[in-house]
Amino acid sequence: MSSTPEIPRVVVIGAGIVGCSLADELTARGWTDITVLEQGPLPAPGGSTSHAPGLVFQTNSSKTLTALARYTVEKFTSLDVDGVSCFHQVGGLELATIPERLAELHRRAGYAASWGVRGEIVSAARCKELWPLIDESLVLGGFYTPDDGLARALLASRAQMARACARGARFLERHTVTGIEREDGRVTGVVTDRGTFPADHVVSAAGFWGPVIGRMAGIDVPLQPLAHQYARTGPLPELSGATAEASKPILRFQDRDLYFREHTDRIGIGSYAHRPLPVDPFAVLPYDEARARNMDMPSSYPFTEEDWAPSWADCRQLMPTLRDAEIEAGFNGVFSFTPDGMPVLGESRRLRGFWLAEAVWVTHSAGVAKAVAEWMVDGRPSIDLHECDLTRFEEAQRSPSYVLERGAQQFVEVYDVIHPLQPMERPRPLRVSPFHARQQQLGAYFLEGGGWERPHWYEANAPLVEALGSLPARDSWSARHWSPVAAAEAKATREGVALYDMTPLRRLEVTGPGSLDFLDRMTSNNLRKKPGAVTYSLLLDASGGIRSDLTVARLAPDRFQVGANSPADLDWLLRHAPADIHIRDITSGTCCVGVWGPLARDLVQPLTPDDFSHEAFGYFRAKETYIGHVPVTAMRLSYVGELGWELYTTADLGLRLWDTLWEAGRELGVIAAGRSAFNSLRLEKGYRAWGVDMTDEHDPLEAGVGFAVRMDRDDFVGKAALAGKGEATRRLTPLLLDDPAAVVLGKEPVYVDGLPAGYVTSASYGYTLGRCVAYAWLPAGLPTGTGVHIEYVGEKVPATVADEPLFDPKMTRIRR
């Protein structure tokens, strides 16, 4: 007789919109032993949900956030309380009053088409029709999304609370969490001022109190609460007689950091235009104490008139009717920001069973709850969440001062026009390679990623531009954070030799007597090769999705160096590693120079005692040797499609390695080259970038990396799922733009036969090819030569499906 498995005991901390949504999603999946603890009164406990204005604009440059918002709209539209819908689908309208914003709205319309949201660019006259109170003369155009609208967050909380309770969940108000119990690295319960609740899983959905709960669990939560102004006018004559809560679209006036919504005959106005107002989550008052101090709730701080005055002037300019209006009420509402503006989701490895569902706005609440519930019950979410994964921040990005500074900057920039390459301004520099001083001397133009300063080109190479001849002119957007010097650096790499700083690429060391068996089980390719072999392989999840791609170098029988992507890779391996396997991140203590180009061997061979000939040191091989006085691990790899090596050494010897290569390369015309040229060269070769071109939503075959999967060997993670997959219905497809002067940047929609059929993942001008290269997810089976169109800032740019690799298909330049 088979026994029914026990239903896990789950305690959710926080009964705001996220906690209520999560209880509903978990109980719908059969996890019915759910206790939701709330320190305030229900159904309006006093957190961010209780004061949220409820505006839901689905479109975002992040595909993930858009998917989360789409589900939120879908779900809330299906819910009601006493016949009142939990979502009021009045539509959304974003205004442009300057040309830069109008161009941004065209890009947003492109995101909407890419991610499946209905939307269109509309004229100033149409904006006036949709919102008669605005001064049409100020408006250049708008972006209208008919399916956006107002989430009635407290109603949605009540509706989902009722559904969850009907399935067995319980919600307990007035329970203040005081501790998290744990044993042997697992969570075991939650302690409150009214008793202890045993748990197999605990989810912190505490909103801006997240860092407080995290500290109890010994987990840092990189979240900074900030106060945000919201005001409501008195009754307006133009709205007199209104009976509906709202009849006009929710409105954004991002050029002045403002948004608007109706409250029957009044208008509510939110502003991001004021100075950042950080709030200490450990100093937020309990509900009753806040009420005793004449605050509506703990998340509602007193309105600061001095911060409001400039925004009120902007409101009156946009809507002349407000010139005779007064502000009836206002408050500074607290909500959460992270260093990159994304939620923080997932299970802690340090405390198993402790989950975070934090920094989530109402816009994404139901979508986040669904994804986290899938993650808990099924072992993985159905959509890619790597941008939200709690492991994504580097250790250097977790200090309280960093979280405060970056969180405040996210607030300032929430409505800014942000270029995809635009780095944060502070704190910089934070992480630098040992070569940083030399890069500065060469006039490096630095961008930033993962806290690292990354050269994108070097002004020292500007004289090389003259030899290129004329380059296609760029529009102002694609020319931002770009230089023609990148073209010169790409050419020098193809024709001579260049040094690339590859230090920021993550490096892991895996050692121990079972390290080969462990890595072989965790990855998709065959690693059972002699020491000195390097293998390109994939980290797959149980469903066959691509969690990451790796280069695995076997340096000794039980010692491997793994080239990985994000902190999540280290976390994933550590979660699965047996006790006798030792894994450590060696990135910060090491560095790497990529030496690439047809003259690479001419540069390195005289500096090393080992034979670097093709016969003695083949492609995808590794050697531990010396370059001059510097011990290095040399790997015959090339991410740019040219002969060369990645040379690794310790950080203390990095500058000596750079100088040795630089001095020896002078007579060969060596240059330093940056990531702008690097990206162009790798796309010409069709090399994928994980997290951009492919994620765990994709399997290896459709992503074009099936060669890294060996189905004829012993079991590995994801093998069974791949064996059961049918024919791919989509492919990562190379495109060449037809016009040599045209450029796209990524995330643009691709049209086949006039209809949106996919989207661009990454793109760059291919200087060797004389065309822009774009990779896009498109329906499988499109033959080479098929014509498509890519929408770039409102213009349809023709492109053609191409064969790959576009450059050096026989690999003769690498293998020589």
Side-chain angles (χ1 to χ4, degrees), residues 755-772:
L755 298 175
Y759 59 91
V760 174
T761 57
S762 54
S764 179
Y765 200 85
Y767 302 109
T768 317
L769 303 173
R771 292 284 193 281
C772 183

Side-chain angles (χ1 to χ4, degrees), residues 205-218:
F208 57 78
W209 283 287
V212 179
I213 302 301
R215 180 174 293 181
M216 296 178 193

Side-chain angles (χ1 to χ4, degrees), residues 89-299:
Q89 206 155 43
V90 291
L93 178 64
E94 303 178 47
L95 301 177
T97 60
I98 57 175
E100 293 81 5
R101 179 68 61 182
L102 185 59
E104 172 69 1
L105 294 187
H106 277 286
R107 285 188 287 272
R108 288 181 62 75
Y111 300 146
S114 290
W115 316 143
V117 175
R118 287 201 302 156
E120 61 177 325
I121 298 296
V122 296
S123 67
R126 178 62 173 147
C127 293
K128 178 72 172 178
E129 290 177 13
L130 292 165
W131 254 90
L133 301 186
I134 66 173
D135 182 351
E136 179 185 351
S137 68
L138 299 177
V139 178
L140 300 179
F143 175 44
Y144 175 54
T145 46
D147 299 328
D148 290 341
L150 292 166
R152 297 181 172 114
L154 287 178
L155 277 187
S157 295
R158 285 175 56 193
Q160 294 176 104
M161 190 185 309
R163 298 202 319 181
C165 288
R167 301 185 190 111
R170 58 177 176 166
F171 285 73
L172 303 178
E173 64 180 2
R174 302 289 189 174
H175 282 64
T176 299
V177 174
T178 58
I180 305 294
E181 292 189 331
R182 45 194 144 161
E183 185 178 336
D184 296 328
R186 282 204 65 90
V187 70
T188 58
V190 177
V191 182
T192 76
D193 58 350
R194 299 176 66 176
T196 298
F197 298 84
D200 303 302
H201 297 272
V202 173
V203 185
S204 177
F208 57 78
W209 283 287
V212 179
I213 302 301
R215 180 174 293 181
M216 296 178 193
I219 305 299
D220 64 307
V221 180
L223 176 163
Q224 176 60 52
L226 289 110
H228 156 63
Q229 290 201 304
Y230 191 78
R232 189 181 301 194
T233 70
L236 299 176
E238 292 81 357
L239 301 179
S240 63
T243 56
E245 177 187 2
S247 60
K248 302 173 184 62
I250 52 177
L251 182 68
R252 275 175 169 169
F253 180 26
Q254 290 127 307
D255 294 335
R256 292 294 183 271
D257 296 309
L258 294 165
Y259 63 82
F260 304 83
R261 59 154 294 180
E262 296 167 282
H263 292 279
T264 312
D265 62 349
R266 295 161 168 82
I267 292 179
I269 307 164
S271 171
Y272 294 98
H274 55 83
R275 63 194 167 95
L277 300 168
V279 172
D280 181 357
F282 295 89
V284 176
L285 297 175
Y287 186 91
D288 292 327
E289 189 174 340
R291 296 285 287 178
R293 297 194 187 186
N294 296 318
M295 295 167 61
D296 287 339
M297 59 189 82
S299 62

Side-chain angles (χ1 to χ4, degrees), residues 438-445 455-468 471 483-493 497-501 658 662 665-666 668-678:
R438 299 293 185 263
Q439 293 165 344
Q440 288 179 307
Q441 293 167 5
L442 293 169
Y445 182 86
H456 270 242
W457 66 84
Y458 296 85
E459 286 301 325
N461 296 324
L464 302 178
V465 174
E466 295 181 11
L468 295 175
L471 289 171
S483 169
V485 173
E489 293 176 358
K491 185 174 188 290
T493 306
V497 61
L499 305 184
Y500 287 81
D501 181 3
W658 180 279
W662 188 260
R666 283 183 182 276
L668 299 173
V670 70
I671 68 160
R675 292 192 66 85
S676 186
F678 177 87

